[in-house]
Amino acid sequence: MDADMPLLDVRDLRVTLTGSEKDITLVDSVSFTAGAGEILGLVGESGSGKSVTALAIMGLLDMPGLVVSGSVRFRGRELVGLSQRALRHVRGREIAMIFQDPMTAFTPVYTIGWQIDEAIRAHEKISRRDARTRTVKLLNEMGVPDPERTANRYPHQLSGGLRQRAMIAMALSCNPALLIADEPTTALDVTVQAQILDLLRGLRHDYGSGVLLITHDMGVVAETCDDVLVLYSGRMAETGPAAALFARPAHPYTTALLDSIPPLTGPRPARLPSIAGVPPSPAARPSGCAFAPRCHYAHASCTTKPPLIVWEEQEVACVLPTEGHALPPRITAGETP
Ligand SMILES: Nc1ncnc2c1ncn2[C@@H]1O[C@H](COP(=O)(O)OP(=O)(O)OP(=O)(O)O)[C@@H](O)[C@H]1O
Ligand SMILES: [Mg+2]
């Protein structure tokens, strides 16, 4: 493998929903790279296309009515268009995914230990007994109490937090080169959340794995990620090194997300405190900038779709920087600019 070749190189990824009167673009021309040993955060509000992007990369959108186009190169190899058989080979061993809903990863009819054993045995010729030893060790590393006994339980017998840890154990069982973690901590309390973020950092550090971390929590990004990609309504709003994005957000949406970093305790606000409204559904996306209807800075130029431009260390889909506006000032909740 070329040393400069990124682990994952996604170019112009599109996911289109066909079948109704008009095609609906769920993910619209998303491009990014993720390197070995790096954690890339994929952020955006609910419905911004984070999970659909992840599932498209994994080749898990092979269903009627959904069309995936563009390019997903993993270690230089094109995954878009590969057969499900070839993809199964890549999944698990090379790319593993922690699903947003742990119940997606486990079938209810087998114990979680059996399912993790099988995941190991699907990629490695080892005995059932050796696989179980590895499973128990992994569960133990994930902080699962009494791992031998827990391995013999069924998914529905575990708490949400334990199920999440078991799923992470399964995802890590083959030391994947790339881990896609879809909201791995959302359902968990703060202590468990911190432990899981530690695990992800350890994975990058100990195994040099690349991690694509999906979250809508900029606090999690701040603690964990090297680079960030902000999605809005299935499109790229801004991308760049996390430090640059936090220091000088270029897109008003990034600013709004930063202003919404939830408090450490208490309930998460259902909406972004600094901007009104919710993102448009992909079927009702406005023709210009999709964020314009909620943007404090929207003006005439925003009725055309903004191209992605390079600004400082970021790429941003907003006309403000090119129009010579310095950064939009940070807005705090409740204030109007
Ligand atoms: N299988 C599907 N068929 C049709 N539309 C879908 C499908 N899966 C997702 N969508 C739509 O695609 C858009 C993006 O959904 P996605 O699940 O990727 O959002 P998300 O960013 O992961 O949100 P959340 O934070 O709530 O998980 C949404 O409008 C959703 O309704
Ligand atoms: Mg999702």
Side-chain angles (χ1 to χ4, degrees):
M1 189 171 93
D2 182 339
D4 293 332
M5 185 189 288
L7 188 63
L8 180 72
D9 189 359
V10 176
R11 289 295 115 201
D12 204 19
L13 182 69
R14 277 166 207 270
V15 179
T16 312
L17 186 62
T18 61
S20 47
E21 221 170 278
K22 209 172 101 216
D23 288 356
I24 299 169
T25 313
L26 302 181
V27 170
D28 187 5
S29 194
V30 166
S31 301
F32 62 90
T33 58
E38 280 173 13
I39 304 185
L40 171 71
L42 193 54
V43 289
E45 281 164 286
S46 190
S48 54
K50 305 181 297 292
S51 295
V52 171
T53 300
L55 294 169
I57 293 169
M58 293 289 283
L60 289 172
L61 288 181
D62 188 23
M63 49 185 96
L66 284 178
V67 180
V68 177
S69 67
S71 165
V72 175
R73 284 180 174 272
F74 176 73
R75 291 179 156 159
R77 181 184 185 199
E78 182 58 67
L79 300 186
V80 174
L82 272 192
S83 69
Q84 280 303 316
R85 200 176 153 194
L87 280 166
R88 266 197 297 278
H89 212 68
V90 175
R91 286 197 292 260
R93 186 176 9 210
E94 296 190 281
I95 308 181
M97 180 154 173
I98 301 174
F99 291 89
Q100 190 162 6
D101 173 8
M103 284 316 234
T104 324
F106 292 114
T107 48
V109 292
Y110 296 108
T111 64
I112 58 132
W114 190 91
Q115 296 185 58
I116 301 174
D117 298 347
E118 284 305 299
I120 297 171
R121 280 159 52 85
H123 297 292
E124 239 178 282
K125 280 201 162 44
I126 62 172
S127 70
R128 199 166 281 285
R129 180 187 299 226
D130 287 347
R132 179 50 62 97
T133 308
R134 180 102 66 85
T135 296
V136 169
K137 183 166 173 278
L138 272 164
L139 288 173
N140 188 43
E141 281 169 14
M142 297 307 124
V144 170
D146 200 357
E148 283 93 357
R149 251 189 66 204
T150 309
N152 286 323
R153 310 191 83 171
Y154 291 87
H156 69 269
Q157 295 177 311
L158 303 184
S159 68
L162 278 182
R163 224 164 20 224
Q164 194 79 354
R165 284 157 187 255
M167 179 167 55
I168 297 175
M170 184 152 85
L172 301 187
S173 62
C174 300
N175 296 334
L178 176 70
L179 176 70
I180 301 180
D182 194 352
E183 304 272 8
T185 60
T186 304
L188 308 175
D189 67 52
V190 180
T191 327
V192 183
Q193 176 171 327
Q195 286 166 354
I196 290 187
L197 294 180
D198 265 349
L199 275 171
L200 294 183
R201 282 187 288 255
L203 186 70
R204 167 257 296 268
H205 188 262
D206 300 343
Y207 299 102
S209 306
V211 179
L212 184 61
L213 175 62
I214 297 178
T215 175
H216 48 255
D217 186 338
M218 276 292 199
V220 168
V221 174
E223 269 179 57
T224 321
C225 298
D226 304 299
D227 294 302
V228 193
L229 168 58
V230 179
L231 287 183
Y232 188 81
S233 188
R235 292 178 182 161
M236 297 171 71
E238 181 167 1
T239 182
L245 238 94
F246 277 81
R248 290 177 307 278
H251 198 293
Y253 183 55
T254 312
T255 313
L257 286 177
L258 290 177
D259 286 338
S260 73
I261 293 180
L264 273 178
T265 53
R268 170 204 303 277
R271 292 189 171 185
L272 298 183
S274 63
I275 42 170
V278 291
S281 87
R285 196 183 287 123
S287 59
C289 171
F291 183 62
R294 299 171 76 192
C295 183
H296 293 299
Y297 306 91
H299 56 294
S301 326
C302 305
T303 50
T304 42
K305 185 177 160 186
L308 202 61
I309 55 144
V310 176
W311 183 81
E312 307 244 322
E313 293 176 71
Q314 292 109 284
E315 278 183 282
V316 57
C318 179
V319 294
L320 288 177
T322 36
E323 287 177 350
H325 290 260
L327 272 198
R330 296 286 300 278
I331 309 152
T332 40
E335 211 181 296
T336 34

